[in-house]
Amino acid sequence: MNLNSYAMWFFKKKVHLFAGLIFLMVGCNEIIEYSPYKAGVRSPDEDLNIKAINRISEYSEDEFRPFKLGLVGDSHTYYDYYEKQIRQMNKHDDIDFVVHLGDITLSGIYREFIWFRDITAKLKHPMITIIGNHDYLSNGEYMYQEMFGPLNFSMVYNDCLLVFFDNVIWEKNVEDPDFEWLESVLKDGEDYRYRFVFSHIPPWSDQFNIGNEYYFNMLMDKYNVDLSIHGHTHNYRYKQPYETGPPYLVVSSSQKGEIFFLHVDEDGFYPGREDY
Amino acid sequence: MRYKFNLIFAWLILLLIVPKGFAQTNSSQNKTQVSIDEKSSIQYDTILIRKGWYIPDHIKVQYAGLIGFMSVGAGYEVTDRYEPTLYYGLLTQNFGGSSVTVHTISLKNSWKLFRPGLLGDITPKAGFSVNLGFTNNTFHRLPAHYPNNYYFQNRIHVAPFFGGEWKIDLPGDGFFNAVGLYTEMSTLDNYVLEFIRTKYVTIDKIWNLSFGVSLYIN
């Protein structure tokens, strides 16, 4: 039996095709993909932010208690670096939960969300993920809402108000951020011990025009926000850029090889930075 | 960078159209010859009918494969080996579970890997599709409010694939002379890029499976 006739015999037996198919269906995850633009997830992967908030609120207390948050951002498709960040976060048992500051994908397409979910599943702590400008591309905006929940949301943790705000502008066809919503949440937050606002784009960055930049900081100042936390620019920064208003913290992107913390104590708060 | 890629796409599309045009002129030349043939063939009690260029050589119905939940396509056999097929695919809430409707136009360029008939009625095929997605936030040219090169275009994707088809000849002289069942593994340019760029994205993470039926027109 020469090679040619063996190949013919092999292809004439159709059984191997079905065996191969079954092997592939079992072996590969997410083997059926309708479209890279699909905005929908299967059962355990929907509303991950809402699930995380439920998990966090189980150990949240009414009275203030010091806590520590982990911060990462702009993981894009730096998957190897992002995996290292997750591994590093897992070494810290004292973290209450982790916040991802947006840009979890590069092109907002289906499998990038799936890969992000797969890596994040290895994290021991709950994670809250906000949306970044890249996550708006294609149908990422709708995929994000299927996978994580609403774009703007807030929670109270240990008597501190945490606001998660979507401030992407250009990808919404130059639509201003929903400042009315932000104001309505901050208005009711005067009595909490601290107020922290998490949003993807720092107001001095490219997508904000002068008016939006001023308005964003004005809201922070007016409602005594203690710290505004961002991603987007891929470089660490901790400063008070405006004459009035809170300090701003910008966390770096995944490939910079560092993770960040926010220590919140009785007498104040300070950011932490750890490279590995 | 963007324009360079656009140029490549333009070339690809040109390459696809040119042989197709040649194929059509060839068939019209054949037509005139056929009319001569017809005379002689009538003597032997057979009538030769050439179908018009507007009738495709095959019609395909496909499930999944990056171009929608279900898609339908039609195409020609330009050469013995090369068959392009133009698909339209649909993905909606009810068909595929996407909260946003996605329309996709796809030109699948498929080559038979072996001489037709060499492996019996199984034909291994490979090639690539050029997919155009019509949905939110996809653009061919970056909208004016972005700085230059802020994003790469995301409306056109190239999807390489490999697969095989089991072709069954139909008896009789009906409209369809054969039916084929095919399955393909395909991937997307972005996924291949991440496979090259990262260690995390391994080769098994980038492929997806699709099934389809081909109907060959007599």
Side-chain angles (χ1 to χ4, degrees):
Chain A
M1 199 182 235
N2 64 19
L3 193 70
N4 205 3
S5 60
Y6 179 76
M8 282 174 73
W9 171 85
F10 187 72
F11 276 96
K12 273 173 183 164
K13 292 271 175 195
K14 275 125 212 157
V15 184
H16 74 281
L17 277 182
F18 297 103
L21 278 181
I22 290 163
F23 172 78
L24 285 169
M25 288 179 94
V26 174
C28 295
N29 201 12
E30 303 285 334
I31 191 70
I32 298 289
E33 183 177 353
Y34 294 137
S35 172
Y37 306 120
K38 184 183 169 182
V41 285
R42 277 196 222 136
S43 176
D45 300 327
E46 82 274 350
D47 299 333
L48 294 177
N49 275 347
I50 295 168
K51 285 172 187 165
I53 288 170
N54 288 341
R55 224 176 114 192
I56 293 160
S57 58
E58 276 170 26
Y59 50 83
S60 171
E61 287 167 20
D62 294 339
E63 293 291 299
F64 177 77
R65 179 177 61 87
F67 61 93
K68 182 181 174 186
L69 300 186
L71 302 170
V72 291
D74 294 84
S75 52
H76 290 286
T77 52
Y78 308 125
Y79 294 119
D80 300 333
Y81 299 98
Y82 182 53
E83 268 188 319
K84 279 184 200 155
Q85 281 186 309
I86 295 293
R87 237 175 280 149
Q88 195 66 19
M89 281 286 181
N90 281 343
K91 288 180 189 163
H92 294 265
D93 290 324
D94 55 342
I95 297 173
D96 290 49
F97 60 92
V98 180
V99 179
H100 192 298
L101 286 140
D103 274 0
I104 62 173
T105 67
L106 188 64
S107 315
I109 53 179
Y110 184 71
R111 250 174 228 220
E112 292 180 347
F113 280 94
I114 298 296
W115 291 332
F116 173 82
R117 172 210 68 183
D118 286 346
I119 297 173
T120 309
K122 294 172 195 154
L123 183 69
K124 308 194 286 196
H125 317 289
M127 185 194 267
I128 292 174
T129 311
I130 63 173
I131 194 165
N133 55 316
H134 279 256
D135 310 326
Y136 260 93
L137 291 174
S138 301
N139 279 329
E141 177 189 357
Y142 303 96
M143 182 64 170
Y144 174 90
Q145 290 177 69
E146 294 286 321
M147 203 170 201
F148 296 100
L151 299 167
N152 295 321
F153 53 101
S154 66
M155 68 182 287
V156 178
Y157 183 69
N158 292 348
D159 198 36
C160 294
L161 178 69
L162 310 179
V163 183
F164 303 93
F165 182 53
D166 161 28
N167 66 354
V168 174
I169 298 169
W170 287 345
E171 286 72 9
K172 286 189 270 192
N173 230 342
V174 202
E175 188 188 305
D176 288 340
D178 193 355
F179 287 128
E180 277 176 28
W181 177 89
L182 184 61
E183 190 161 10
S184 71
V185 174
L186 291 174
K187 207 179 270 173
D188 304 332
E190 299 275 338
D191 299 330
Y192 296 111
R193 185 64 165 268
Y194 296 110
R195 283 148 297 276
F196 300 115
V197 175
F198 301 81
S199 55
H200 180 64
I201 301 173
W204 60 83
S205 185
D206 50 5
Q207 300 210 352
F208 274 64
N209 59 24
I210 302 272
N212 280 331
E213 180 180 359
Y214 170 80
Y215 200 80
F216 188 89
N217 189 61
M218 188 276 288
L219 284 179
M220 299 291 131
D221 188 30
K222 188 178 173 187
Y223 295 103
N224 295 318
V225 171
D226 294 281
L227 179 66
S228 181
I229 303 150
H230 306 272
H232 190 61
T233 57
H234 289 210
N235 287 306
Y236 166 77
R237 229 154 173 201
Y238 183 54
K239 62 169 184 179
Q240 189 177 352
Y242 307 107
E243 279 176 23
T244 57
Y248 285 75
L249 169 67
V250 181
V251 303
S252 64
S253 59
S254 290
Q255 96 278 31
K256 298 278 157 60
E258 45 191 12
I259 54 171
F260 296 86
F261 305 102
L262 180 63
H263 303 267
V264 185
D265 287 340
E266 216 42 83
D267 51 348
F269 59 87
Y270 57 97
R273 184 185 184 191
E274 183 185 287
D275 43 6
Y276 43 87
Chain B
M1 186 74 177
R2 207 178 72 218
Y3 292 104
K4 213 171 141 189
F5 267 90
N6 285 350
L7 211 75
I8 292 168
F9 279 125
W11 269 110
L12 282 175
I13 291 162
L14 208 76
L15 278 172
L16 296 173
I17 291 165
V18 167
K20 226 172 158 183
F22 277 124
Q24 281 165 21
T25 50
N26 283 345
S27 64
S28 63
Q29 278 168 8
N30 286 346
K31 243 183 195 169
T32 51
Q33 288 171 357
V34 164
S35 60
I36 302 161
D37 282 350
E38 257 176 312
K39 270 185 188 168
S40 58
S41 53
I42 285 167
Q43 290 176 343
Y44 298 102
D45 264 340
T46 49
I47 299 164
L48 241 158
I49 302 163
R50 280 270 164 174
K51 65 174 190 235
W53 62 267
Y54 45 85
I55 297 176
D57 292 335
H58 57 254
I59 292 171
K60 297 191 186 226
V61 180
Q62 186 178 306
Y63 166 72
L66 298 174
I67 55 171
F69 177 73
M70 289 299 278
S71 45
V72 289
Y76 296 93
E77 278 170 35
V78 172
T79 67
D80 280 355
R81 291 285 189 86
Y82 170 56
E83 40 176 31
T85 311
L86 193 67
Y87 284 90
Y88 162 76
L90 182 66
L91 172 66
T92 65
Q93 179 74 62
N94 295 326
F95 296 101
S98 171
S99 64
V100 189
T101 301
V102 181
H103 304 276
T104 310
I105 302 281
S106 169
L107 180 64
K108 186 186 277 182
N109 300 284
S110 181
W111 282 271
K112 291 168 187 164
L113 294 181
F114 297 96
R115 184 161 49 76
L118 182 71
L119 301 171
D121 45 11
I122 297 281
T123 315
K125 290 177 184 180
F128 65 93
S129 301
V130 180
N131 301 346
L132 266 89
F134 295 92
T135 184
N136 293 286
N137 253 339
T138 54
F139 42 80
H140 175 53
R141 201 162 288 200
L142 202 61
H145 57 267
Y146 292 104
N148 284 342
N149 299 324
Y150 200 72
Y151 292 123
F152 187 64
Q153 71 83 20
N154 65 355
R155 174 163 287 171
I156 301 170
H157 283 289
V158 177
F161 72 90
F162 66 91
E165 182 169 299
W166 178 21
K167 193 172 173 182
I168 308 149
D169 287 327
L170 295 176
D173 203 21
F175 188 64
F176 298 115
N177 61 6
V179 60
L181 303 173
Y182 69 89
T183 178
E184 276 160 10
M185 298 287 285
S186 62
T187 181
L188 202 68
D189 45 7
N190 287 46
Y191 302 159
V192 175
L193 190 68
E194 298 314 333
F195 165 64
I196 294 165
R197 272 210 294 225
T198 66
K199 275 193 212 124
Y200 169 76
V201 179
T202 46
I203 191 84
D204 60 307
K205 288 194 175 81
I206 62 172
W207 295 100
N208 71 84
L209 189 66
S210 59
F211 304 97
V213 178
S214 320
L215 294 165
Y216 291 89
I217 293 167
N218 215 340

